[in-house]
């Protein structure tokens, strides 16, 4: 039996009372766990099944390298982000996003602590924090744009040039990318409300070019509506 902390990314009900959990753990990266009895009437811990909840799992190894089973789990820290409708919307979007792009990620404590940092920023009502997180993930995975002198970011090549190649990457948006990429404290950068939708659209375009089989999260429409 092993014990470790992890962020819950998604879960699927299995049968009447059980669930399959997808998590990003501190020690083993992306993991899939089987959780018995979580939907039984007497089990009060189903309230813990919230996207990006940080949990501590005690896990039994699966037989013949099969799926691991959770023997018990506890919440490691209570967070108020789920009572704030804007923060809650951001949490669902980012969990949806990370559940896709971290599927093949092994242990990566930099990503783990970066998620921790993001949740703290969101708990402080930094409603642009998800935009910063998505750029940070690109940097950690080594596919972020290369800084240069140009005024326009080319999303396909990941370089800055003097000629615009995509309508989402005008000079204003491209300079915002450059500012975030070069900043030591990007969470402090103010992103005007009027720019956030276009900036997020530009981030998704960049991910489509640089992350294999990337698909736009289903929750995109909801997050765009709530921040209009």
């Amino acid at each position: 039996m092993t014990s470790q902390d992890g962020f819950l990314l998604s879960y699927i009900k299995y049968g009447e009372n059980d669930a399959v959990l997808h998590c990003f753990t501190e020690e083993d990266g992306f993991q899939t766990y089987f959780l018995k009895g979580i939907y039984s009437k007497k089990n009060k811990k189903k309230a813990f099944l919230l996207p990006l909840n940080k949990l501590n799992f005690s896990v039994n190894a699966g037989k013949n390298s099969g799926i691991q089973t959770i023997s018990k789990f506890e919440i490691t820290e209570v967070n108020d982000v789920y009572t704030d409708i804007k923060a809650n919307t951001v949490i669902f979007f980012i969990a949806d996003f990370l559940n896709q792009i971290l599927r093949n990620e092994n242990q990566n404590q930099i990503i783990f602590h970066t998620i921790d940092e993001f949740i703290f920023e969101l708990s402080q009502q930094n409603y642009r924090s998800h935009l910063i997180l998505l750029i940070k993930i690109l940097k950690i995975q080594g596919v972020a744009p290369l800084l240069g002198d140009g005024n326009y970011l080319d999303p396909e090549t990941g370089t800055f040039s003097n000629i615009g190649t995509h309508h989402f990457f005008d000079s204003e948006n491209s300079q915002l990318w450059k500012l975030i990429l070069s900043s030591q404290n990007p969470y402090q950068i103010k992103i005007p409300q009027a720019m956030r939708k276009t900036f997020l659209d530009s981030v998704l375009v960049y991910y489509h070019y640089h992350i294999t089989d990337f698909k736009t999260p289903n929750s995109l429409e909801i997050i765009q509506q709530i921040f209009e």
Side-chain angles (χ1 to χ4, degrees):
M1 182 183 296
T2 60
S3 176
Q4 62 176 309
D5 292 341
F7 293 103
L8 179 62
L9 300 182
S10 70
Y11 58 93
I12 303 169
K13 188 175 182 180
Y14 185 86
E16 287 296 316
N17 297 315
D18 307 329
V20 175
L21 277 52
H22 298 304
C23 308
F24 191 76
T25 68
E26 186 170 14
E27 297 299 327
D28 295 324
F30 189 92
Q31 293 293 312
T32 299
Y33 296 135
F34 186 70
L35 180 57
K36 293 182 178 179
I38 189 63
Y39 286 104
S40 64
K41 292 181 179 179
K42 294 182 179 180
N43 197 326
K44 297 179 180 179
K45 290 188 176 181
K46 54 179 167 287
F48 293 174
L49 299 184
L50 293 169
L52 291 191
N53 230 355
K54 191 177 182 182
L55 305 168
N56 179 263
F57 304 100
S58 294
V59 180
N60 296 320
K63 295 179 180 179
N64 300 320
S65 300
I67 188 170
Q68 300 179 90
T69 300
I70 295 172
S71 58
K72 63 178 181 178
F73 73 110
E74 300 291 341
I75 191 167
T76 64
E77 52 193 60
V78 177
N79 205 305
D80 292 335
V81 294
Y82 302 102
T83 61
D84 177 334
I85 188 169
K86 286 188 175 181
N88 201 31
T89 302
V90 170
I91 282 283
F92 272 80
F93 174 74
I94 289 298
D96 195 4
F97 204 101
L98 296 178
N99 188 51
Q100 178 185 169
I101 66 171
L102 298 182
R103 287 273 167 154
N104 299 313
E105 195 73 46
N106 296 317
Q107 183 193 56
N108 191 321
Q109 294 196 357
I110 295 175
I111 288 180
F112 188 87
H113 294 303
T114 297
I115 298 171
D116 239 345
E117 180 188 33
F118 154 72
I119 293 173
F120 171 77
E121 288 290 332
L122 190 56
S123 72
Q124 303 301 303
Q125 298 184 328
N126 182 349
Y127 298 127
R128 61 193 180 279
S129 57
H130 58 297
L131 302 174
I132 305 302
L133 173 69
L134 297 181
I135 304 298
K136 279 178 161 282
I137 295 292
L138 289 173
K139 291 180 74 173
I140 294 168
Q141 294 191 326
V143 292
L146 300 174
L147 291 172
D149 295 330
N151 293 322
Y152 300 93
L153 174 57
D154 183 332
E156 185 172 4
T157 63
T159 58
F160 288 87
S161 67
N162 291 319
I163 301 172
T165 60
H166 195 288
H167 64 284
F168 283 148
F169 294 84
D170 58 16
S171 60
E172 187 179 27
N173 214 25
S174 296
Q175 290 308 304
L176 182 55
W177 270 83
K178 190 177 290 189
L179 182 62
I180 294 170
L181 287 165
S182 60
S183 174
Q184 293 296 315
N185 298 295
Y187 282 116
Q188 295 180 2
I189 295 171
K190 305 296 183 184
I191 303 175
Q193 184 79 25
M195 288 186 65
R196 292 181 191 179
K197 183 179 184 300
T198 301
F199 186 77
L200 178 55
D201 285 337
S202 73
V203 172
L204 295 175
V205 168
Y206 194 91
Y207 268 84
H208 276 291
Y209 276 119
H210 296 276
I211 301 297
T212 304
D213 298 326
F214 176 76
K215 296 178 181 178
T216 301
N218 294 328
S219 51
L220 173 64
E221 185 177 349
I222 299 171
I223 198 171
Q224 287 181 332
Q225 287 176 354
I226 204 158
F227 286 104
E228 282 181 352

